[in-house]
Amino acid sequence: MQILRHSKIAVTMEVYTHVPSEATRKALRKLGRQLGGA
């Protein structure tokens, strides 16, 4: 979220969760938590 300059983690997740790979979604959730998201 911070790296991509999105104002909210929800924006980042909305943009990137369309990716069909569960591994990708899991990695993005972990990244979001590490960056201070919900």
Side-chain angles (χ1 to χ4, degrees), residues 2 7 9-12 14-15 17-19 21 23 30-34 36 38:
Q2 293 171 348
S7 60
I9 190 64
V11 174
T12 306
E14 180 68 28
V15 171
T17 56
H18 71 278
V19 178
S21 168
K30 184 175 181 180
L31 177 61
R33 287 192 301 271
Q34 293 297 314

Side-chain angles (χ1 to χ4, degrees), residues 22-36:
E22 177 58 31
T24 301
R25 288 192 297 271
K26 184 177 179 181
L28 286 170
R29 285 191 297 268
K30 184 175 181 180
L31 177 61
R33 287 192 301 271
Q34 293 297 314
L35 293 175

